[in-house]
Amino acid sequence: VRPNPGTAAPGPEQYPATLVEACRQGERAALAKLFQAEAPYLERVLSRIVGGSSDLEDLLQLTLEAAIHAFPSFRGEASVRTWLTRIAVRTAMRHLRHPAQKRRVPFEVIEGGQSAISASRPQHEAEARARLRVLYGHLDALDDKHRTAFVLFQVEGRSMEEVAALMDTNLSTTKSRVMWARRKLFARLSKDPAARAWLAEYGGEAP
Amino acid sequence: MRATMCAEIEDLIERETLGWSEAERLRVEQHLNECDACRETLAISRFVRDTLLEAAGELPESSRSRAIRNALSMEKKDKKRSVYAPRRWLGAGVATLTLAAAAALIVFFVSRDSEVASTTVKPTPHKTTPAAASEAQRIAQNAAIPAQPAAEHADEWFETSAPEQRQLAHAQVDFAESTRARFHADRRLLELAQGRVEVDVETAQGESFSVQTDHFRVEVLGTQFTVTPDSVSVTRGRVQVFGRDGSVLARELAAGGQYRYSATTVAEAAARVASKRHMNDRDEAKPSDAKPSDTKPSDTKPSAAKKSAGAWLAEARAALSRGDGKTTRELVSAAEKSASPTRAERAEAKTLRAEAALLERDQLGALRLYREVAQQYAELSAGDNAAFAAAQLAKRADPTHERELLQSYLGRFPNGRFRDEAKQRLSRLGEATPTR
């Protein structure tokens, strides 16, 4: 058994109360400062859920617009990052709901953008991209709610309770969504010859 | 006992990202030594997680700054507007349409007996019952298609679990996975309920072939095109797209072109027709000395009213489908000047300019615009479409560049929607071109 790689979700950022209050008041400088700090994290969440980056800029813009509009009602019960993540999740799910907007363009098309692939293991870049293409091909077959719950739980390392809160639903529904997403995805992957070759590296049976 | 143990281990595997205690780790290790199925589950779980962890993409700094700037400028210009408000309205509209479509589908499938029993590929010929024939007649009337008498003819049902190719009348149809459709051989009509079909119609037959969805009907004489319930993309030739009420939604869709059904566009078109009727009624009631300009509908001219880029583009699409290139360009200009259009909207605006140029037979102008879209918006599906459209157009407008454009398309979009067509065309060009 390999060591647990740990969770992917970063800890919440703490911002001075004055900055948050200025954002509530709609002060552009404060909003710009907060958005600059949070944008990279939101981009990572959005890109993991939608599985491609062709619309990432638009999705980020929509998330920030929604945040600006909703800021006056932000009560500070959750951290700013959690609150923004919730908006980003809704934006991504709305995007996934439209089949016509499902993106087929793989990651390499972002010119000048960064992805964890090239940063972490440049020698395996091509293979990593191929794996992503195959995996997102199967994720496309999942319902948007199942897919989002699965990614937030399995990859972002959020607890079921957090996923339920981010998706505005209850705990049992969330558990059910994650379970069905796993079953469907795993069943598809186990039948995919391309995926089987990679699964052998993780202790699965060789093709 | 074993099943209970596997369920426990599966639960632990699911929670691996949250961390295992030492006791849990030992239990998993021990179980994996004797259970292949759980070992497989753990392998898949880790493969998925590791792969998705690598998927985190970040924008270039310039794109990020632009998104933040646009969001902030939107807030400044339109502080009172709720970002969710129009979507809430749209959501209600879409929900209503979905309910209507669901009701229609229930009725639509009444004529389908219990023949679709499994999910395997199966054309299921069956005789039309009197009730089904009457239902088919009603559907045909709704779709403004001349209804056939309730004749004895065979309808074929298709429900695929894997891609499948079939010859239907004079068309070769590729059914994508999870597609459900019914073919009426007598009318050469394929009704698509779900999924995607790619259709290649044999020109030589000189007979029409139609594909109909809940939203529209595509009619062709000879061409190759792809239909989903919400869109049509043309690979070769030209098609016309009609609404369910018989209205023309796209007068002439050329190779590389795409029509996408939008509830908003259709609702706006209906609202415009209603508004036009209302104005005509009002003008008829006016004294006869009214100036001609008073009766001119203002809805096709960009006004100073604040409208989103999306709304302008919806009107531009409608103008294009009416065949009005000049108004299309005016509406596109208004969209470009509106508050903070997104990149996708800017790409669509330029694509509409290209299509307007094509409509006015300015092929070189259209080619230039398509190439610009392909270069500037390569990361969007609009870029993919435009790159292939440019290559298709080059066949007529600038044949010397066709090969170069096709190669450029494949280089830029190795997994693009038209890669197979581009490869086929290149291979044909290769055969036709003498070796020097």
Side-chain angles (χ1 to χ4, degrees):
Chain A
V1 176
R2 287 152 33 120
N4 189 337
T7 63
E13 291 290 328
Q14 294 297 324
Y15 292 101
T18 48
L19 180 75
V20 176
E21 187 50 38
C23 289
R24 270 200 201 99
Q25 301 297 325
E27 284 181 25
R28 285 168 60 82
L31 286 164
K33 187 175 177 187
L34 183 79
F35 289 165
Q36 279 292 352
E38 290 297 325
Y41 169 70
L42 294 175
E43 286 158 19
R44 288 195 294 274
V45 172
L46 286 166
S47 65
R48 279 198 186 115
I49 297 175
V50 301
S53 32
S54 54
D55 281 335
L56 198 51
E57 186 183 332
D58 285 352
L59 289 173
L60 178 65
Q61 185 180 326
L62 287 171
T63 302
L64 300 182
E65 282 173 17
I68 292 169
H69 177 72
F71 235 123
S73 58
F74 173 63
R75 293 192 297 273
E77 288 167 357
S79 72
V80 173
R81 173 167 286 186
T82 301
W83 179 74
L84 285 172
T85 308
R86 201 165 165 173
I87 296 173
V89 166
R90 281 189 209 159
T91 308
M93 283 174 64
R94 198 161 45 221
H95 176 79
L96 288 175
R97 244 172 255 145
H98 295 280
Q101 291 181 9
K102 276 194 174 178
R103 296 297 164 219
R104 306 288 171 198
V105 186
F107 272 78
E108 54 265 36
V109 296
I110 308 188
E111 286 168 15
Q114 294 176 357
S115 87
I117 294 171
S118 48
S120 61
R121 295 192 299 166
Q123 70 274 27
H124 298 304
E125 195 174 333
E127 193 197 316
R129 289 183 203 287
R131 286 206 314 250
L132 271 177
R133 261 196 299 276
V134 167
L135 185 52
Y136 275 105
H138 291 300
L139 278 170
D140 275 348
L142 303 185
D143 173 273
D144 62 296
K145 288 175 184 162
H146 291 187
R147 170 179 175 159
T148 307
F150 175 79
V151 171
L152 288 172
F153 177 80
Q154 186 90 25
V155 187
E156 290 288 312
R158 304 267 179 183
S159 69
M160 286 286 185
E161 289 81 1
E162 282 177 308
V163 177
L166 286 172
M167 295 182 70
D168 275 337
T169 187
N170 60 48
L171 191 58
S172 58
T173 304
T174 306
K175 283 182 177 172
S176 161
R177 284 175 182 170
V178 173
M179 182 192 77
W180 284 111
R182 286 178 81 249
R183 283 194 184 170
K184 188 166 181 184
L185 183 65
F186 285 20
R188 292 177 68 93
L189 282 170
S190 62
K191 289 177 194 158
D192 185 331
R196 290 221 61 86
W198 294 313
L199 289 175
E201 295 172 19
Y202 287 85
E205 281 183 33
Chain B
M1 181 67 189
R2 170 106 183 196
T4 315
M5 190 64 184
C6 285
E8 272 179 39
I9 298 298
E10 200 178 324
D11 188 46
L12 281 173
I13 290 172
E14 190 177 287
R15 293 192 291 107
E16 190 187 7
T17 49
L18 304 177
W20 289 335
S21 68
E22 197 51 38
E24 286 170 338
R25 185 187 304 282
L26 285 171
R27 210 159 75 204
V28 172
E29 275 185 6
Q30 197 174 11
H31 181 76
L32 292 189
N33 284 333
E34 54 199 39
C35 180
D36 290 344
C38 287
R39 201 162 47 241
E40 175 90 355
T41 305
L42 182 65
I44 297 177
S45 174
R46 286 180 170 166
F47 163 73
V48 169
R49 191 186 56 234
D50 287 0
T51 305
L52 288 179
L53 278 173
E54 288 179 333
E58 285 184 20
L59 288 168
E61 191 55 45
S62 59
S63 303
R64 180 180 301 150
S65 301
R66 188 168 50 224
I68 294 173
R69 204 171 47 242
N70 282 347
L72 289 168
S73 73
M74 177 69 83
E75 186 264 348
K76 191 182 174 189
K77 286 177 187 166
D78 205 5
K79 215 166 187 172
K80 287 181 183 171
R81 189 178 76 89
S82 161
V83 170
Y84 285 118
R87 293 186 180 92
R88 219 179 282 145
W89 171 85
L90 183 63
V94 168
T96 312
L97 281 171
T98 308
L99 279 175
L105 270 178
I106 289 167
V107 176
F108 181 78
F109 288 116
V110 163
S111 60
R112 198 181 80 166
D113 301 323
S114 55
E115 77 284 10
V116 183
S118 73
T119 54
T120 50
V121 182
K122 52 186 235 55
T124 313
H126 70 279
K127 293 289 179 188
T128 310
T129 63
S134 132
E135 186 52 35
Q137 206 163 12
R138 195 189 66 74
I139 291 167
Q141 277 162 359
N142 285 346
I145 294 166
Q148 299 293 316
E152 288 284 299
H153 62 264
D155 290 344
E156 252 184 335
W157 271 102
F158 296 90
E159 183 156 334
T160 62
S161 58
E164 173 80 352
Q165 190 177 77
R166 307 283 301 184
Q167 184 72 35
L168 301 178
H170 55 295
Q172 183 178 294
V173 182
D174 285 297
F175 292 87
E177 185 185 353
S178 307
T179 296
R180 204 164 58 215
R182 177 164 63 171
F183 180 62
H184 303 268
D186 55 334
R187 287 183 281 157
R188 296 178 299 281
L189 169 70
L190 185 66
E191 289 187 78
L192 177 67
Q194 177 190 309
R196 181 169 59 90
V197 288
E198 290 179 22
V199 184
D200 193 348
V201 182
E202 178 59 53
T203 325
Q205 299 282 334
E207 290 177 330
S208 70
F209 187 93
S210 308
V211 180
Q212 182 175 304
T213 75
D214 276 343
H215 307 306
F216 55 78
R217 177 166 54 92
V218 191
E219 193 160 303
V220 290
L221 280 173
T223 191
Q224 190 179 357
F225 60 103
T226 304
V227 184
T228 70
D230 299 311
S231 69
V232 186
S233 331
V234 183
T235 312
R236 192 186 68 224
R238 284 169 193 273
V239 303
Q240 277 192 310
V241 186
F242 300 92
R244 296 284 303 198
D245 59 356
S247 58
V248 177
L249 295 179
R251 193 177 298 277
E252 195 177 39
L253 208 56
Q258 188 181 30
Y259 167 79
R260 205 167 43 220
Y261 171 81
S262 151
T264 324
T265 315
V266 171
E268 282 173 357
R272 270 200 304 280
V273 170
S275 151
K276 221 175 235 178
R277 277 185 193 148
H278 173 71
M279 289 183 81
N280 288 343
D281 292 345
R282 197 187 59 186
D283 292 335
E284 278 170 21
K286 274 185 179 177
S288 57
D289 59 353
K291 290 177 185 173
S293 60
D294 292 338
T295 60
K296 192 173 182 180
S298 59
D299 59 341
T300 54
K301 292 277 177 191
S303 70
K306 282 186 181 178
K307 258 189 198 177
S308 69
W312 284 120
L313 290 173
E315 289 198 16
R317 281 194 296 273
L320 187 72
S321 65
R322 288 196 306 270
D324 186 347
K326 184 167 176 271
T327 308
T328 304
R329 278 199 304 277
E330 287 174 355
L331 291 164
V332 165
S333 296
E336 287 168 338
K337 287 174 193 161
S338 64
S340 310
T342 62
R343 265 181 80 69
E345 285 165 345
R346 288 195 292 271
E348 185 173 3
K350 196 164 265 190
T351 304
L352 284 169
R353 277 189 189 284
E355 286 170 9
L358 203 55
L359 194 72
E360 291 167 344
R361 303 190 185 283
D362 176 11
Q363 294 187 343
L364 284 174
L367 184 61
R368 179 180 56 77
L369 286 160
Y370 277 134
R371 291 182 76 167
E372 282 178 18
V373 176
Q375 281 164 6
Q376 291 167 10
Y377 303 99
E379 80 281 17
L380 301 179
S381 59
D384 182 341
N385 291 339
F388 189 67
Q392 290 279 307
L393 197 54
K395 266 197 289 192
R396 284 174 285 156
D398 189 2
T400 52
H401 285 102
E402 188 189 358
R403 180 193 297 273
E404 175 203 327
L405 285 168
L406 285 166
Q407 283 166 344
S408 154
Y409 173 81
L410 285 172
R412 197 182 285 263
F413 304 99
N415 300 301
R417 294 174 53 237
F418 304 102
R419 62 185 183 279
D420 294 337
E421 292 86 346
K423 282 176 188 166
Q424 280 168 15
R425 181 69 194 153
L426 263 179
S427 125
R428 278 201 289 270
L429 282 174
E431 285 164 16
T433 311
T435 316
R436 293 185 182 184

